[in-house]
Amino acid sequence: VDEPKAEKPLAPPRNEPLLQPVNGVVQPPVIPPPNRPGRRTNVLEDLKTVLNCIWRSRWAYHFRNPVNSVSLGVPDYHTLVKRPMDLNTIKKRLNNNYYWQADEALEDFNLVFDNCMQYNMEGTPVYQAGKELKTAFYNRLGTIDLTKEEELKPKVDKRKRKAPEEPNPNPNPTPIPVPVPSATPSLIPALTSTFSFGALGKCGPSLIPGMNPAHSLLPQLTPAFMPDSLINPIPSLLPIAGTSSMKTVRETDAAAPQATSPLTGLPVPLIAAPIEISPTPTPKPTSAPTPTPTPTSTPAPKSPTPPPPPPPPPKPEPPIICYKDLDRLIEKSHCTHLLKYMTKRKRRQLTWAFNRAEHWERYTQNPDYNHKVEEKLDWTILGDRINSENFEGFDGFVYLVRRMFQNALRCFPEDALVKTSVKNSNEVFERALPKYRVLIAKAKERAREMVAAKQKN
């Protein structure tokens, strides 16, 4: 008897209300509502890999984030496209388990491509990018199995536990005896015999009242035998060749009477005070007697008159400073900054018409436009003009940008996308132009003040 197959659970109804744009952006929800929780299935996990694959495609640039109708200059986008969708929203929904089954995620992918084909005209760059991205998506989608969809179990957070420490069976361990070398017992009597504590009573009276003289002088006493090394005294106690001469010296020293101090009873040092050696006087050389001059009646010579002081040097004339090179450098740096401001990544959808001037001749719509006579101008050429030695200043850069806009309108008089690009780019450029003029004037004034301060110093 065939067992009845388990029926798939029905997906709850999916109701997503229409949203109004906020600052030109419509952000669909990415967190599942409480009355319709999502699931985590094997096919949805495979769709994450498909999304990561097309995300890195060069055609996915226009579809990664929600469309901003304000910054892109398309105010009618949300009027024509009722349910906008983008790849970043789908990515967040997959990570938050928003979908119940894979068919819902596939609907959102198709919604991205349908919105692109609906709003953009055929042949435009965005339309072509959407078409290429859709082909890449379905090619990658064919590598996964969409028929066997099963819900996956939630991931369990496995944490490693530390092994319990074993109790010590012997809480009071007995100390391990340290072995003593066999040579030390024979040397200990020699140490005790050389130093006798009975001699402490022979010392003089105590310097501190109420204290035993032996206790007051104990820190100053040292045994007659001192080992050579403090690190390992055992080798120094072993017999060394030539010790007979040392014994004779010690015997002679012991036989000679030693003088003791009346206060401490200790031997008086050999030298009680530093020896002063008086220097021998050196004989002074005798000089011959100088003859005394005899007074004469001749008058003393007159001292010569001092020469007149030289005239003071003339004051140096102030140097003539030419600020032409300094002003050119300031204007050059601000032109470079303005060019980077116009070609920012967020403005590429506005300024795309001026990326490659060499393609204008291929797609031109005006047969009277002479590409050999007219100067080719785009963002790359303007950057090369700024870095060249023929840089004409800020006003020359502004003239070239405006001329580039005019050339685009003359070359593509009937292309609505080019007209929109020229219009938006010109608005951004003219809006930033007064600000950069003020910055250039302030930079020139600051540079002149610095040069004047250096001249004074």
Side-chain angles (χ1 to χ4, degrees), residues 11-23:
R14 184 182 181 186
N15 298 322
E16 293 184 0
L18 297 179
L19 301 176
Q20 297 298 325
V22 178
N23 296 329

Side-chain angles (χ1 to χ4, degrees), residues 30-100:
V30 295
I31 304 298
N35 58 349
R36 189 185 184 280
R39 293 193 307 170
R40 179 172 169 265
T41 64
N42 57 343
V43 181
L44 289 175
E45 291 296 320
D46 293 338
L47 286 178
K48 290 182 181 179
T49 62
V50 176
L51 176 60
N52 293 334
C53 179
I54 66 173
W55 182 279
R56 297 189 297 269
S57 174
R58 61 174 180 171
W59 309 108
Y61 172 75
H62 305 282
F63 313 102
R64 288 175 184 165
N65 298 309
V67 175
N68 191 335
S69 59
V70 176
S71 62
L72 298 180
V74 284
D76 59 339
Y77 181 82
H78 295 293
T79 305
L80 301 177
V81 178
K82 301 297 182 181
R83 294 186 179 276
M85 184 56 59
D86 59 281
L87 298 180
N88 193 21
T89 301
I90 299 176
K91 186 176 183 179
K92 292 179 180 179
R93 288 185 171 185
L94 289 173
N95 293 334
N96 297 334
N97 297 334
Y98 181 87
Y99 300 110
W100 178 269

